[in-house]
């Protein structure tokens, strides 16, 4: 068979096209993987529990931003999920949309490409639909501070809370450092101890 130049051109184009299509199909589906089996560049779907979260909270303890979420699976491996700029707000919304909010111990699933950063496996979350809650395990309630004065207060730098307005120790707290709890239970759960003076009255 004699191939004209044009025919060769079309065959080449076809081969390239098939190549591109199969490559894109190949990358389309993330691979279900265990953390211990992942390596840099893998496009994966990881399921595990939240081991820790690096959060920034405002003065009333509402989550302002999420720096990263550390996920661990049953193989003992861990990886960090960093939200990219465009999903930063969506991730805060997603996390706080649950009541109680998504936190340590909850089972989540993340999809993304593995990058190694300072020896740590990392996924940069580009799309909020690539992060989802699989199972709520931690039902610890969320504790927020009162935006208006209550009778239960402390210094945000201290570890003691007061319940008497004129407490000589409570009086020492300077202006902006004062925080107000809704209940004493909240104060205790946030690791504040009741002031001895206030407790004795
Ligand atoms: Zn006191």
């Amino acid at each position: 068979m004699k191939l004209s130049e044009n025919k060769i051109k079309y065959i080449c184009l076809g081969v390239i096209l098939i190549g591109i299509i199969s490559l894109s199909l190949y990358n389309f589906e993330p691979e279900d993987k265990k953390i211990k089996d992942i390596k840099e560049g893998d496009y994966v779907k990881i399921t595990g529990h939240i081991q820790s979260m690096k959060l920034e909270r405002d003065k009333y303890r509402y989550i302002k931003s999420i720096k990263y979420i550390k996920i661990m699976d049953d193989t003992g491996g861990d990886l960090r999920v960093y939200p990219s700029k465009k999903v930063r707000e969506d991730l805060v919304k997603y996390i706080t949309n649950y009541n109680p909010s998504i936190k340590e111990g909850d089972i989540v699933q993340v999809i993304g490409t593995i990058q190694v950063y300072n020896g740590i496996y990392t996924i940069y979350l580009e799309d909020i639909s690539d992060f989802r809650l699989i199972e709520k395990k931690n039902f610890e309630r969320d504790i927020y501070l009162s935006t208006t004065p209550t009778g239960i207060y402390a210094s945000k730098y201290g570890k003691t809370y007061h319940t008497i307005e004129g407490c000589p120790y409570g009086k020492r707290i300077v202006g902006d450092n004062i925080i107000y709890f809704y209940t004493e239970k909240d104060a205790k759960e946030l690791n504040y101890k009741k002031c001895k003076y206030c407790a004795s009255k």
Side-chain angles (χ1 to χ4, degrees):
M1 192 169 72
K2 212 175 141 208
L3 291 173
S4 72
E5 219 172 278
N6 250 346
K7 263 187 189 157
I8 293 173
K9 233 188 256 169
Y10 283 124
I11 289 168
C12 285
L13 221 74
V15 169
I16 290 168
L17 221 68
I18 289 166
I20 290 170
I21 290 167
S22 53
L23 259 178
S24 64
L25 280 179
Y26 177 75
N27 278 324
F28 195 68
E29 276 299 315
E31 217 182 324
D32 246 308
K33 269 202 171 177
K34 293 293 183 189
I35 297 175
K36 75 166 175 52
D37 299 324
I38 58 180
K39 56 183 193 307
E40 191 158 27
D42 284 353
Y43 182 52
V44 291
K45 184 197 273 178
I46 300 281
T47 307
H49 70 271
I50 297 177
Q51 201 208 21
S52 61
M53 296 167 98
K54 184 87 176 157
L55 302 173
E56 203 194 340
R57 292 177 183 270
D58 70 8
K59 57 192 281 203
Y60 305 114
R61 303 196 79 255
Y62 287 95
I63 297 172
K64 221 163 74 176
S65 65
I66 296 163
K67 197 173 173 234
Y68 65 80
I69 296 173
K70 192 172 169 188
I71 296 172
M72 200 176 223
D73 71 6
D74 49 15
T75 65
D78 61 63
L79 96 141
R80 287 183 189 182
V81 178
Y82 283 83
S84 69
K85 214 171 199 167
K86 63 175 186 205
V87 299
R88 229 169 258 173
E89 269 175 49
D90 289 339
L91 186 62
V92 171
K93 266 188 221 151
Y94 187 80
I95 293 289
T96 55
N97 225 349
Y98 289 85
N99 188 15
S101 63
I102 296 174
K103 46 169 76 83
E104 291 81 359
D106 289 337
I107 310 288
V108 293
Q109 188 171 75
V110 62
I111 294 170
T113 304
I114 300 296
Q115 296 184 36
V116 180
Y117 187 71
N118 283 339
I120 296 162
Y121 288 125
T122 302
I123 285 178
Y124 285 95
L125 198 65
E126 298 288 350
D127 192 325
I128 194 63
S129 64
D130 286 343
F131 183 90
R132 64 192 189 99
L133 178 72
I134 299 293
E135 195 186 349
K136 192 92 185 97
K137 290 267 192 187
N138 185 345
F139 290 93
E140 227 169 75
R141 68 198 178 96
D142 298 313
I143 302 173
Y144 301 109
L145 299 174
S146 175
T147 55
T148 53
T150 64
I152 310 153
Y153 63 102
S155 161
K156 63 178 169 191
Y157 301 113
K159 276 292 149 215
T160 310
Y161 73 91
H162 308 274
T163 51
I164 292 172
E165 206 184 328
C167 170
Y169 304 101
K171 267 190 192 164
R172 292 183 190 165
I173 305 167
V174 240
D176 242 18
N177 293 342
I178 198 161
I179 53 173
Y180 297 99
F181 305 99
Y182 285 109
T183 62
E184 287 193 49
K185 191 177 172 230
D186 285 357
K188 283 175 186 146
E189 283 182 22
L190 291 171
N191 290 318
Y192 284 82
K193 288 196 168 57
K194 192 163 184 171
C195 154
K196 289 213 170 85
Y197 177 88
C198 290
S200 70
K201 297 286 155 176

